[in-house]
Amino acid sequence: MVKLEVSRDLFSLTEARTVEVQADMGANVDLSQLEFQFGGKSLSKWKKWTSGSNFNGEPFITLTVKPQFVEGTTMVKATLKFDLLFNRESLSTRTIRNQYQKYIGDYELAMLDPQKKIKAATTVKLNVYDEFLFYQQLKPEIDQILEQANKKQNRYVKYQSLGKSVQGRDLHSVILAKDKDAVDNYLNKTLPTSLEDPESLLEKLKNGTIGNYQVPIWFNNIHPDEIEGADAQVELLKKFALRGEVTFHTVKDDQKSTVTLNVDKVLENVIFLFMFTNNPDGRVANTRRNTNGFDLNRDNHFQTQVETQLVTQEIAKWTPLSFLDMHGYIGGFLIEPTTPPHNPNYEYDLLYNHMIEQAHSMGQAGLGNSSFHSYLIPALDYKAGWDDMSVAYTPMYAMLHGSLGHTIEIPALSQKGFRAMVGVGLGAVHFVTENKDALYKNQLEIFKRSVNSEDNRAVDKYFVNASGESIGRIRGKNKNFFPDYYLIPFHKNQQKNNLEAHKMVQYLLRNGVKVKQTTKYMKINGRMYPKGTFVIPMNQAKRGVANAMLYKGDNVSDWEAMYDTFLVNFPDLRGFTIQAIRNAGALDQYLIEIKSVTTPTGKVIANAPKQVLSNTNNDTIKLVNMLLKNGAVVEKALETKGGVTKGDIIVSTNDLQGFENNYYFEAKPLEPSNPIKTEKLKLPKVAVLGSSSLKFTVKELGFNIVDQANADVIVSDSSSFNSRTLAGKSYVGIGLSALTAVKNNGLLPGYNFVFTRNGHEGLVKAEIKDHVLTSGYKTDELLYSTSGAWISSVPVGAEVLASFSNRDDFYVAGWWPGHEKAKGQILAFTHTTNNITITLFACELAYRAHTHYSNRFLANCIFDS
């Protein structure tokens, strides 16, 4: 085979390119008979995409200059044009995004003489854009950069895996700094001082004695199918690890200028943190969601997924000054900050102006590095609908730590989009380097306010209602929005869910929040609490993190548009007891800081043949399923009598004893003199239809998931409902799609519902009826809904399980325009008809795997099937 010489060997799905080819085909070749192939196929077989999975358009590769001899030789040359396979520069359309990657790879490009059977060939590459890397290529590329950096530059470049994804892949991360001393000094001296004694550093900044210090810039990509985010980081790492200077262009007022960064000077000021992808499994599968089906950019607060747990812990560790989360394809070149409403736990007056300035710097560099013509900043260009009320998004989570947090959305999946994203990173580096002292001063001011328990009214003008009027932080009768302490009891008479309480303490510690314990038995707010009670003092630098997760939430129902749901409220949605204390300094001398805590486990009282397990927590549900899988006899109490509550679980002491160290349960001996009406449980076979979070929750509770045909019970938050397949089964429907599906089927005459809009959310006061399906709950509870719906009527004979409270203050927090009409309406009911038991909930039972407190409604229904 003859070698085919080419003027380029890299081609792009998003940029048309020509290539000159030549080869020695011999003296007597008939030029008119020469043919060309790409990937073993004639060029005529390569057609452009038209729609769906159809490639029947114009030719993808064309011969623009016909074969001709190079003068005086037997070399034959020609020119080919590789156009756009998908007939467009941007591949951001979802249909294309789902299929373009299968065309990336190495191909044989060949010129053939079929008469003489001569073939001249070489290998070329087709990529989406030149710098795109599959996940499996990331680590080798990083290793190569690190190897070159160690040879060429005297810089500190360190790779680390933050941990493993759901499928066991590494979360690749790199630290780039001036030297190791810079990293050690920041983590061990500068950062601890900034969190403990920010005033001392502010004074040193003011008088010029702070000396040489660095601040972190964090680059992030959480949606792996928005691919430029990872590749731009590799390019930025390459530039700052290997070069002495980095030059780029910026565009301001249509005027282009050139900026040159001296890398050594940059590293005198910053430490780079590269988080190439938070979702390795998604990078492999080319999907937005992780293996469990979760959008990780809606999980940075809930932290139900291992990937978000790992990344947020690292954010808390580093507390970056600048945080860039690289996204794409909304249709415009968008750079935050956002519209109102803003989460009240940010010190927004100390963030906003610098975020606007940094956004402009990033946008101008993005334009200068690409052929895009404009960018937009929601805070300046939108009125509403792109808000940062939710702290689910990675940049918003980082803002709670005092970061200038930005989501950046490039408009195109293309070579141009990649170049723009690199420009964004360069613009941020330039901005932070040029303004480091002023930026750091404001971050220190955030920490100072927090450490001093200061609720500064300068922030209030940024917290506005839908009319644009300043309403400030909602303080009620309190002078300070933030309490002085949060107290999390653990004694069984004071804590309704000790397991979730301990998990919350673990969460707070993992997220950089100080937690302490009382050192003695003491009276607090008129009640005695035992030694060891958990206390979160709010005079700490990370008070915004703590309060964002623990406070009730706000009512922003006056806004017409919100980007997403925003309520967090771990105590009510996870279901544990917490108390806000407003008495500054009252507990300080009786507290000791803790660094870790272990979750509690169950204890068997072995002086009786049987034990009663309270139906109060999800671990008990897991334990019941494990006992059933082991063949143990498990009974459910059908009445409340003699200290046993309807819905409690009764098991043999011998069967239970082997599980004390593995599960948390609350057990007490069953008195032999107390005969109780029970029902024997069997291991349910559960089919799950609908959301990934519902499937995840059912699996986490330990139930066996089967297909619909083999199921005893079907749980669904989807629009799939076929009554003909339900004979002899139970159906549990959750949320608007299920409510609609059952209504449209017509199986339940007399049933109807009303809704405002799917996505309207609310934490509401609810009245719970006494029923085996509601066992483990009290008459008055707080429930959560995101469907904007209520049940307006039920079939004759149906049993109502829960209703919205009839109180005027039934609505606690959320975004639900029109929620007033839900007052006193039905939330859930159950009804049996034609040998089918149907139970419907208008509230959430498994929303994004966060609403643990409602999970037992689901478990009760499954066990009752």
Side-chain angles (χ1 to χ4, degrees), residues 176-187 190-191 210-217 264-272 318-319 321 432 436-437 440 443:
L176 169 60
K178 170 189 173 184
D179 50 36
K180 188 174 185 299
D181 285 346
V183 173
D184 291 342
N185 189 62
Y186 174 77
L187 289 175
T190 306
L191 180 59
I210 195 168
N212 187 23
Y213 72 99
Q214 290 78 33
V215 293
I217 300 176
D264 287 337
K265 180 183 175 183
V266 168
L267 292 175
E268 289 289 337
N269 292 282
V270 305
I271 297 170
F272 291 109
W318 281 94
T319 312
L321 180 63
V432 173
K436 181 184 72 171
D437 285 354
Y440 191 47
Q443 189 181 50

Side-chain angles (χ1 to χ4, degrees), residues 398-413:
M399 285 169 64
L400 294 173
H401 293 271
S403 304
L404 305 175
H406 301 263
T407 297
I408 301 101
E409 298 271 0
I410 55 166
L413 194 168

Side-chain angles (χ1 to χ4, degrees), residues 344-347 349 449 453-463 470-483 543 547 551 553-554 582:
N345 292 290
Y346 309 132
E347 301 297 325
D349 60 308
R449 286 183 187 178
S453 297
E454 178 186 357
D455 181 8
N456 195 304
R457 268 44 178 184
V459 78
D460 280 359
K461 72 175 184 177
Y462 294 93
F463 300 128
S470 173
I471 57 173
R473 288 170 168 154
I474 307 303
R475 300 178 179 88
K477 297 179 181 180
N478 302 307
K479 292 182 179 180
N480 197 317
F481 175 71
F482 302 95
R543 74 170 179 186
N547 207 60
Y551 90 123
D554 290 281
R582 293 182 178 272

Side-chain angles (χ1 to χ4, degrees), residues 455-657:
D455 181 8
N456 195 304
R457 268 44 178 184
V459 78
D460 280 359
K461 72 175 184 177
Y462 294 93
F463 300 128
V464 299
N465 61 19
S467 300
E469 302 163 334
S470 173
I471 57 173
R473 288 170 168 154
I474 307 303
R475 300 178 179 88
K477 297 179 181 180
N478 302 307
K479 292 182 179 180
N480 197 317
F481 175 71
F482 302 95
D484 296 302
Y485 309 93
Y486 279 108
L487 185 150
I488 302 179
F490 67 87
H491 192 275
K492 64 180 181 180
N493 293 330
Q494 299 170 331
Q495 178 56 257
K496 64 180 180 181
N497 194 326
N498 199 25
L499 178 63
E500 291 289 353
H502 278 75
K503 286 183 176 180
M504 190 73 235
V505 172
Q506 290 180 329
Y507 175 104
L508 293 168
L509 291 171
R510 190 175 70 240
N511 285 270
V513 176
K514 287 183 181 180
V515 181
K516 300 186 178 184
Q517 285 183 296
T518 55
T519 57
K520 69 171 192 174
Y521 192 73
M522 59 190 301
K523 192 174 187 179
I524 305 172
N525 277 13
R527 189 170 186 180
M528 299 303 296
Y529 289 90
K531 176 182 176 181
T533 297
F534 298 112
V535 176
I536 298 95
M538 294 298 282
N539 59 338
Q540 60 173 300
K542 299 299 181 78
R543 74 170 179 186
V545 179
N547 207 60
M549 309 309 165
L550 297 175
Y551 90 123
K552 262 317 185 208
D554 290 281
N555 181 359
V556 297
S557 298
D558 58 323
W559 289 85
E560 290 185 7
M562 295 284 287
Y563 193 79
D564 196 22
T565 58
F566 70 87
L567 275 176
V568 184
N569 192 338
F570 271 81
D572 289 323
L573 297 189
R574 296 281 171 103
F576 61 92
T577 307
I578 194 167
Q579 185 176 356
I581 307 294
R582 293 182 178 272
N583 189 353
L587 308 182
D588 290 357
Q589 62 180 313
Y590 307 113
L591 300 176
I592 185 170
E593 187 171 351
I594 61 173
K595 298 299 183 183
S596 64
V597 65
T598 56
T599 54
T601 55
K603 184 178 181 181
V604 177
I605 310 300
N607 59 354
K610 290 187 176 182
Q611 302 284 315
V612 180
L613 306 181
S614 298
N615 185 8
T616 55
N617 64 82
N618 289 354
D619 242 30
T620 299
I621 304 301
K622 296 180 188 179
L623 173 59
V624 168
N625 278 314
M626 181 57 69
L627 289 168
L628 290 170
K629 289 174 185 177
N630 288 348
V633 174
V634 181
E635 297 172 280
K636 177 176 65 178
L638 298 179
E639 60 180 341
T640 298
K641 180 182 176 184
V644 178
T645 302
K646 184 191 298 181
D648 282 352
I649 303 299
I650 299 170
V651 298
S652 159
T653 299
N654 290 337
D655 288 335
L656 186 61
Q657 282 179 325

Side-chain angles (χ1 to χ4, degrees), residues 202-210:
L202 283 165
E203 182 62 28
K204 290 180 179 180
L205 270 177
K206 182 179 179 180
N207 62 32
T209 61
I210 195 168

